[in-house]
Amino acid sequence: MSRVVSLTGTPGTGKTTIAGHLAGMGWQTIELTELARRQGAVVGRDENRQTDEVDVDLLSDAVAMEVRSLPTVGNILLVSHLSHLMTCDQVVVLRTSPRTLRQRLEARGWPESKVRENLEAEAVGVILVEAMELEPAVPVLEADTTSEGPDVTANRIANALDGGEADLEAGRVDWSEEVMEWY
Ligand SMILES: Nc1ncnc2c1ncn2[C@@H]1O[C@H](COP(=O)(O)OP(=O)(O)OP(=O)(O)O)[C@@H](O)[C@H]1O
Ligand SMILES: [Mg+2]
């Protein structure tokens, strides 16, 4: 059977970029945003937050169907800030320092309210906490994409998932010092 790995993290932490590198290494990748639209799991639009509203249960069903349709060899990568909420064997959470994340999100032309909401989520590690609290528990790795290039991060993730030493144990990333400068 294939191993299903969920690549998650706050928007802008680098999921799609890293997924591109892992696809180049032969991983089968599924972008859940695209799948959600295609399979009718987008159920509304939050205009204030400028985000699509996704029905997580509908998306889970669509993911399960999609996974079943893929060849049962190699690794399957679910790519989305919702991917850790899907049935999977392993979660990888990408993290980025809020200062660097601000630059990436501003470069997308996002309004300040949307940038700020995501910086705050990253600062307190909302997605990491959600992943660590999953029941039944799923192994969680955490990779910092602030300073190194995507190719380096992708290699580190691939090595860690193959059982290598890669220092990606969850719980090492901590933005509290940087966040204290906000006050
Ligand atoms: N080590 C790294 N890993 C991944 N991306 C990086 C890294 N260093 C810099 N970047 C840059 O950060 C940006 C990440 O954007 P990307 O679209 O991949 O994020 P995302 O997590 O998929 O966002 P979204 O949730 O909105 O889809 C890219 O411009 C990428 O080049
Ligand atoms: Mg993306």
Side-chain angles (χ1 to χ4, degrees):
M1 277 297 287
S2 303
R3 175 172 49 175
V4 178
V5 178
S6 292
L7 184 63
T8 186
T10 308
T13 51
K15 300 175 294 295
T16 298
T17 306
I18 297 288
H21 286 270
L22 292 172
M25 297 178 201
W27 289 51
Q28 308 179 78
T29 68
I30 308 174
E31 277 277 354
L32 301 195
T33 313
E34 189 265 327
L35 182 71
R37 291 209 183 102
R38 184 154 48 87
Q39 296 295 347
V42 175
V43 291
R45 177 85 185 159
D46 185 332
E47 287 300 341
N48 282 336
R49 298 171 60 224
Q50 296 193 17
T51 53
D52 284 341
E53 289 169 352
V54 173
D55 183 316
V56 172
D57 292 330
L58 285 180
L59 182 60
S60 294
D61 293 346
V63 167
M65 252 175 37
E66 187 81 3
V67 165
R68 276 199 297 274
S69 77
L70 292 174
T72 55
V73 289
N75 294 309
I76 295 173
L77 192 68
L78 308 180
V79 186
S80 162
H81 66 286
L82 298 174
S83 64
H84 58 290
L85 304 178
M86 306 293 118
T87 303
C88 62
D89 303 306
Q90 170 86 52
V91 174
V92 178
V93 184
L94 299 184
R95 305 296 307 275
T96 304
S97 95
R99 192 178 289 126
T100 300
L101 194 60
R102 170 175 283 285
Q103 291 167 357
R104 291 185 195 170
L105 297 181
E106 282 180 348
R108 293 176 172 188
W110 281 12
E112 173 60 21
S113 59
K114 190 170 176 181
V115 171
R116 185 80 194 189
E117 178 185 344
N118 283 291
L119 294 190
E120 288 172 0
E122 178 59 20
V124 296
V126 169
I127 289 183
L128 180 76
V129 171
E130 281 180 5
M132 307 266 309
E133 289 180 347
L134 287 172
E135 284 187 29
V138 177
V140 180
L141 297 176
E142 187 179 33
D144 184 352
T145 69
T146 307
S147 313
E148 61 193 20
D151 49 339
V152 178
T153 312
N155 277 322
R156 272 151 49 82
I157 291 170
N159 286 337
L161 292 174
D162 285 341
E165 292 273 320
D167 294 345
L168 297 183
E169 293 88 11
R172 294 180 170 221
V173 171
D174 175 13
W175 309 132
S176 54
E177 248 176 68
E178 192 182 312
V179 170
M180 286 317 289
E181 295 170 16
W182 299 358
Y183 298 95

